[in-house]
Amino acid sequence: MTSPVSYKIVDDIGVISINNPPVNALSQAVRQGLLEAIRSAQTDASRAVLIQCDGRTFIAGADITEFGKPPAEPYLPDLLDEIEASAKPVVAALHGTALGGGFETALASHYRIAVDSGKVGLPEVKLGLLPGAGGTQRVPRLAGVEATLDLILSGTPISAGHAAEIGLVDKVVTGNLYDEALSYTKQLVNDNAPLRRTRELTIDTVDSSLFDSYRQNLDKRARKQTAPQRIVDCVEAAVTLSFEAGQKRERQLFTECMQDSQSVAMQHLFFAEREAAKIIGLPRDIARREIEQVGIIGGGTMGGGIAMSFANAGIPVTLIEVNAEALERGLSIVDKNYAGSVKRGKLSKEQAQQRRSLIEGDTDYAALADVDLVIEAVFEDVELKKDIFGRLDKACKPGAILATNTSYQDVNEIAAATSRPEDVIGTHFFSPAHIMKLLEVVRADKTAADVLATCMALAKRIRKTPVMSRVCYGFIGNRMLQGYFREAQLCLIEGGTPESIDAAMYDWGMAMGPISVADLAGLDVGYKARAALPVEKRGDPRSYRVPDALVEMGRLGQKSGAGFYAYDAETRKKSSDPAVLEVIEREATALGIERRPIEADEIIDRLIFALVNEGLRILEEGIAQRPGDIDVVYVYGYGFPAWRGGPMHYADAVGLETVLARINEFRERFGEENWTPAPLLEKLVAENSSIRLFSPP
Ligand code: T1G
């Protein structure tokens, strides 16, 4: 087995090259090769050492596939200490994304040169970890404490230019990095540049209250997450302790993170997100259709947001509305969104203008004659959608993909309204579409394989996280959401209050409580959907009598200034409204319900296990490919806490026997209509197995 690390002397410079596709991760073999190379360099004729990587990026971090296995020497912190202790200058040449342990390798080098397109970062916090190879100790010595806290707590990579500004990179070049790095290293030798060991640099003093202010901010920004708090502890140790003692503290806290269930959950999501992009049974190299122009039907909130998602990726969009007035309204939503991004500093004025210029409006389907993909994003009326697809079938060129953004409707039925069902697919965006990462790609019965592959790849191009779903009412996310909302409403009418239900779920980790989510989405949405259904199909009346009563009072939610809560017209700040409790009590009485106190743990288990139970049905029906796909849907689309890994991962963590026992208890108390255990749950418990071991039939 050849080593992924090679070493040769070029013009008196010892060049260490790493070639470990796809991202030059620091596997045991890479660490071993690096160690042997840096040791060779200490005694050979080289005058300095250059560490560089082949392929698309400098080292992108420790090898995450090794996590959970017994650690193998050489350990990264020890290796980096040897690099830093080198008797000859060591230079790191950075390109692509030098992340995590990769950037820590560069920080242990004496000098860093980067190509201007390169990025550096310490994203460990996104894995529930912290930089465990000296990053929390070396960055403050180069960039100061506040820049360190911002870089490591965000986990967001920064450009080479920004890194140079704050002292993390010494030289930024635009030409050939290898050539530039070689001449830079020679220059350092000729200038007799000092061995600038990062560990020996002093840290600017800071007021000790800075750390507590960061801790308080994390209590809001990273609620209940353990890694961010430990990161602050590490950086504080860099200021208060010697380098060696600080490194020891970092190692101890890194080990705590590694053993923390939060990190196990977030590592699970890292791989689940990448797995979800792969379609079982579809060759990874299947030819995809070219998507260079896109059409959107409907300029409402969703249509405008979808149009922006494509424009933001540099893809021209034609937005179609029924008339000039509606089109103007739609485009003004887009203008407002871009203006907001500029105001918040997310985009420069020029960037916003450049992106906005890619969105054109029209009222005639003839404008879609050349588009490669069109996405219908009108409101949830299946007959209207079928009519639109019949028109698109005629207006769009052969081979154009015809997609619907429907949240619930039957994509097979919509496809049947065209002469080319193989070109029809669902692309379910989540509101706000230009911000939310999740994209459910709905594979209808006749969707062609290349159409599916094209849309899965296109999702990544517009920086979305794709998850494939088969056709069912509500696909993966919204189908599971029905049980979640049903239980929220039942807990409410049985004895809870909007505040107690929301507090239970918010404190558990959800980004927003279910009652607040209902107000945000608009109570009239469910009201109209139910009105379109025969009574027997509307579900348990106890689960919608209160929201429907509020709608009939004109309380539609945030959009009308009042729903379950009252909303300040200016700040939109919500407040409790006693009138709502009266409605709840009145409806409970009308339904013969004797209200009782409902504790948080009952609320949590009823809402979350309703998600889990439906998720298991979705798995056994083959609607979702894998359990991890469902976890990605809920974390990226519904505010499920990443540090709990998603509904399926969470159920395994709780223990399926416990989940089944609780569901059986709920069946006893609340009836089997809402609480019949999914057969797959009973099967897994009988086999003493777990959801993560599920493989599709
Ligand atoms: N280890 C192992 N495999 C990795 C990997 C890693 N660090 N990063 C990516 N891969 C695989 C990934 O699973 C996929 O495999 C392929 O590479 C392409 O990835 C000690 C402890 C680098 C920005 O967190 O952010 O260092 O699916 O699809 O979109 O302090 O990968 O093809 O089989 O994401 O171009 C810190 C994680 C680790 C970086 C590239 N580093 N990676 O994005 O490709 S912890 C990270 C990424 C650490 C130290 C600590 C991205 C990327 P497959 P991809 P991409």
Side-chain angles (χ1 to χ4, degrees):
M1 178 83 157
T2 51
S3 166
V5 179
S6 60
Y7 176 64
K8 62 182 178 184
I9 296 180
V10 177
D11 304 346
D12 292 343
I13 306 298
V15 178
I16 301 175
S17 296
I18 299 168
N19 182 18
N20 185 32
V23 297
N24 286 315
L26 279 161
S27 63
Q28 188 284 332
V30 169
R31 300 195 304 274
Q32 186 61 39
L34 259 173
L35 183 65
E36 287 164 8
I38 197 71
R39 284 179 175 170
S40 303
Q42 300 311 303
T43 54
D44 65 18
S46 67
R47 301 180 64 195
V49 178
L50 172 61
I51 301 174
Q52 70 97 28
C53 288
D54 300 336
R56 60 178 175 154
T57 179
F58 188 77
I59 305 165
D63 186 337
I64 306 176
T65 62
E66 290 182 359
F67 290 179
K69 296 171 189 162
E73 294 190 60
Y75 303 131
L76 188 56
D78 303 337
L79 165 61
L80 300 195
D81 285 351
E82 277 211 39
I83 290 173
E84 190 173 56
S86 166
K88 301 175 182 176
V90 180
V91 177
L94 311 179
H95 73 293
T97 47
L99 302 175
F103 189 46
E104 289 176 298
T105 302
L107 292 165
S109 305
H110 304 130
Y111 295 91
R112 287 154 292 281
I113 179 172
V115 67
D116 62 340
S117 58
K119 290 183 180 239
V120 302
L122 294 168
E124 288 87 343
V125 72
K126 294 180 179 173
L127 295 168
L129 297 171
L130 54 87
T136 65
Q137 308 301 305
R138 290 192 172 97
V139 176
R141 285 172 165 77
L142 289 162
V145 172
E146 283 195 74
T148 301
L149 288 166
D150 295 340
L151 180 73
I152 302 179
L153 288 171
S154 71
T156 306
I158 58 175
S159 69
H162 182 189
E165 279 164 16
I166 61 175
L168 294 176
V169 162
D170 300 293
K171 187 177 176 64
V172 178
V173 295
T174 54
N176 176 290
L177 178 62
Y178 178 79
D179 297 343
E180 294 274 6
L182 209 50
S183 57
Y184 175 59
T185 308
K186 290 178 199 167
Q187 189 60 51
L188 289 169
V189 170
N190 296 341
D191 297 349
N192 202 18
L195 291 176
R196 190 185 57 182
R197 296 191 175 101
T198 312
R199 66 169 57 223
E200 292 162 2
L201 302 177
T202 54
I203 297 183
D204 300 344
T205 52
V206 290
D207 187 315
S208 60
S209 64
L210 176 78
F211 298 104
D212 285 341
S213 64
Y214 268 83
R215 290 187 175 101
Q216 278 145 32
N217 178 274
L218 287 170
D219 286 341
K220 287 192 290 291
R221 197 181 72 177
R223 278 185 305 125
K224 297 178 173 290
Q225 294 179 48
T226 48
Q229 297 291 346
R230 293 185 181 121
I231 287 168
V232 177
D233 295 346
C234 286
V235 177
E236 188 172 37
V239 173
T240 55
L241 305 175
S242 68
F243 182 88
E244 290 70 19
Q247 212 175 16
K248 197 156 172 270
R249 180 84 177 118
E250 176 192 84
R251 199 83 209 130
Q252 175 201 12
L253 291 171
F254 175 78
T255 305
E256 283 182 22
C257 284
M258 273 299 235
Q259 293 161 352
D260 194 317
S261 63
Q262 292 193 7
S263 177
V264 174
M266 293 168 88
Q267 289 171 43
H268 155 69
L269 280 170
F270 174 85
F271 289 112
E273 179 187 351
R274 285 153 182 80
E275 276 307 293
K278 298 165 192 167
I279 307 299
I280 296 169
L282 213 61
R284 279 189 83 169
D285 57 355
I286 188 169
R288 297 169 193 150
R289 298 187 189 182
E290 287 295 313
I291 305 293
E292 297 309 325
Q293 289 183 66
V294 170
I296 311 277
I297 307 292
T301 310
M302 286 306 289
I306 297 169
M308 290 175 69
S309 297
F310 285 94
N312 293 346
I315 301 172
V317 176
T318 302
L319 186 64
I320 299 286
E321 255 296 357
V322 287
N323 57 47
E325 187 207 349
L327 179 61
E328 183 48 43
R329 205 169 40 244
L331 291 174
S332 65
I333 293 174
V334 172
D335 293 339
K336 201 162 57 127
N337 286 339
Y338 275 126
S341 299
V342 172
K343 192 163 168 242
R344 288 192 302 276
K346 296 270 183 208
L347 288 178
S348 68
K349 213 172 167 55
E350 296 68 31
Q351 285 171 322
Q353 280 165 352
Q354 189 276 326
R355 293 174 183 198
R356 174 65 183 81
S357 69
L358 291 173
I359 301 174
E360 303 215 335
D362 210 304
T363 56
D364 185 343
Y365 278 40
L368 301 175
D370 297 330
V371 300
D372 308 300
L373 160 73
V374 63
I375 299 175
E376 165 271 313
V378 301
F379 54 89
E380 286 294 279
D381 172 337
V382 72
E383 292 312 319
L384 172 61
K385 291 178 187 291
K386 286 159 69 174
D387 172 60
I388 287 172
F389 271 75
R391 295 172 61 193
L392 292 174
D393 192 15
K394 298 182 180 63
C396 296
K397 67 186 180 188
I401 294 174
L402 312 181
T404 171
N405 175 55
T406 185
S407 318
Y408 286 92
Q409 307 304 328
D410 184 339
V411 184
N412 291 319
E413 188 180 345
I414 293 170
T418 73
S419 64
R420 43 172 151 170
E422 66 284 352
D423 290 342
V424 177
I425 192 166
T427 51
H428 178 214
F429 289 79
F430 285 74
S431 183
H434 60 297
I435 292 172
M436 293 297 281
K437 278 180 69 85
L438 179 64
L439 179 66
E440 279 183 324
V441 178
V442 184
R443 181 181 199 174
D445 296 347
K446 294 181 178 169
T447 300
D450 69 322
V451 168
L452 176 62
T454 301
C455 291
M456 294 298 281
L458 183 63
K460 199 159 176 180
R461 192 172 154 200
I462 61 173
R463 289 188 285 280
K464 297 294 179 188
T465 297
V467 177
M468 189 198 84
S469 174
R470 284 290 189 172
V471 174
C472 70
Y473 189 71
F475 314 127
I476 298 171
N478 283 346
R479 172 169 158 182
M480 289 168 65
L481 194 63
Q482 293 181 75
Y484 180 82
F485 275 146
R486 178 198 70 227
E487 290 307 310
Q489 290 298 332
L490 289 175
C491 287
L492 184 72
I493 200 164
E494 288 171 23
T497 63
E499 297 75 11
S500 70
I501 309 282
D502 277 353
M505 298 318 295
Y506 181 80
D507 292 346
W508 183 80
M510 296 300 286
M512 190 187 267
I515 306 299
S516 297
V517 170
D519 266 359
L520 179 66
L523 305 181
D524 52 328
V525 173
Y527 185 86
K528 285 178 193 151
R530 273 186 292 280
L533 292 172
V535 174
E536 65 277 7
K537 285 211 174 221
R538 291 180 190 171
D540 184 341
R542 298 173 303 155
S543 69
Y544 58 77
R545 280 283 290 265
V546 172
D548 285 4
L550 294 175
V551 169
E552 284 156 10
M553 293 162 66
R555 299 177 69 111
L556 311 184
Q558 274 197 27
K559 66 172 83 168
S560 68
F564 279 101
Y565 296 97
Y567 294 90
D568 178 282
E570 291 301 310
T571 64
R572 282 197 171 187
K573 193 170 175 336
K574 74 182 178 202
S575 55
S576 303
D577 186 339
V580 172
L581 198 53
E582 285 169 24
V583 174
I584 296 169
E585 287 167 347
R586 183 192 73 208
E587 293 304 326
T589 307
L591 288 163
I593 295 169
E594 197 174 320
R595 283 169 57 80
R596 62 180 171 89
I598 299 191
E599 298 306 319
D601 64 340
E602 179 181 339
I603 295 167
I604 292 161
D605 286 354
R606 287 174 66 173
L607 273 71
I608 299 299
F609 291 166
L611 280 185
V612 171
N613 207 32
E614 197 59 34
L616 287 163
R617 289 200 183 98
I618 281 173
L619 268 181
E620 58 197 359
E621 292 170 22
I623 297 293
Q625 297 186 98
R626 315 172 186 86
D629 290 23
I630 293 173
D631 289 337
V632 170
V633 164
Y634 259 79
V635 168
Y636 284 95
Y638 292 82
F640 195 99
W643 50 272
R644 290 189 188 274
M648 299 292 104
H649 180 86
Y650 174 73
D652 275 344
V654 166
L656 296 186
E657 209 166 336
T658 305
V659 174
L660 179 57
R662 193 73 158 137
I663 288 177
N664 282 330
E665 177 202 328
F666 291 154
R667 175 167 57 177
E668 290 304 308
R669 291 172 61 188
F670 309 118
E672 58 187 31
E673 186 185 344
N674 293 341
W675 288 107
T676 297
L680 178 57
L681 176 57
E682 294 177 312
K683 178 171 178 292
L684 291 171
V685 170
E687 295 165 357
N688 194 25
S689 183
S690 58
I691 299 174
R692 66 186 174 81
L693 299 176
F694 169 82
S695 52

